Amino acid sequence: MAAKGYLLWIVALALVFLGALVFPYSLLARLNAERVVVSPPFVQALYLAEGGAREAIAAIKADPQNPPYASQPVLVCQTSSPCSTSSSDYIGRYCYSSGTLGGFTCSVTKRTQGGVTRFTIVAVGESRGSIGRVRVVYNQTDDQVESWEVNP
């Protein structure tokens, strides 16, 4: 009988120990998810602009001669589909190949020089009235980002 009680205590302590390990991790995961949604508008706008630049690079990789850019601006919501500016979970919008946001023009330009093809991407994000911009130079020949400027 005493052995069963001893075993029960060991199992209980192991569960408490595992709970002590898992609880902080779950808090950090939740806080990280909330960070993206409740971050200051300027930071959120930068996230959107960076996402646009990454989307442009993915489109260039898919077809360097005729990249399949999405129609712009791209609206972003947490869960709503389709997303609209009147959605309750609307986060913001971004552009990268055409259009303007907040008075800034989005563009992708291609230049080949010395056998190296580079794309210069100017992406703009807008969230709750704040604007974030990134300018990226992507070397398509060597498949690498040569520069990444925030708010050039």
Side-chain angles (χ1 to χ4, degrees), residues 3-23:
K4 288 183 181 178
Y6 182 71
L7 184 62
L8 184 62
W9 274 107
I10 289 175
V11 169
L13 287 174
L15 289 174
V16 168
F17 179 72
L18 286 173
L21 290 176
V22 170
F23 181 70

Side-chain angles (χ1 to χ4, degrees), residues 42-93:
F42 174 72
V43 175
Q44 189 65 50
L46 281 176
Y47 288 149
L48 292 170
E50 288 180 359
R54 292 183 194 282
E55 189 173 315
I57 291 170
I60 292 165
K61 286 181 179 182
D63 184 356
Q65 300 307 319
N66 189 21
Y69 300 130
S71 60
Q72 323 237 328
V74 178
L75 303 180
V76 179
C77 291
Q78 260 185 302
T79 57
S80 295
S81 181
C83 182
S84 72
T85 56
S86 61
S87 298
S88 61
D89 60 347
Y90 174 73
I91 295 173
R93 59 191 179 157

Side-chain angles (χ1 to χ4, degrees), residues 127-148:
S127 181
R128 294 177 273 171
S130 290
I131 299 294
R133 296 178 293 142
V134 295
R135 181 181 176 274
V136 178
V137 176
Y138 171 66
N139 178 335
Q140 186 262 325
T141 305
D142 298 329
D143 189 27
Q144 65 181 357
V145 173
E146 293 182 339
S147 71
W148 191 286

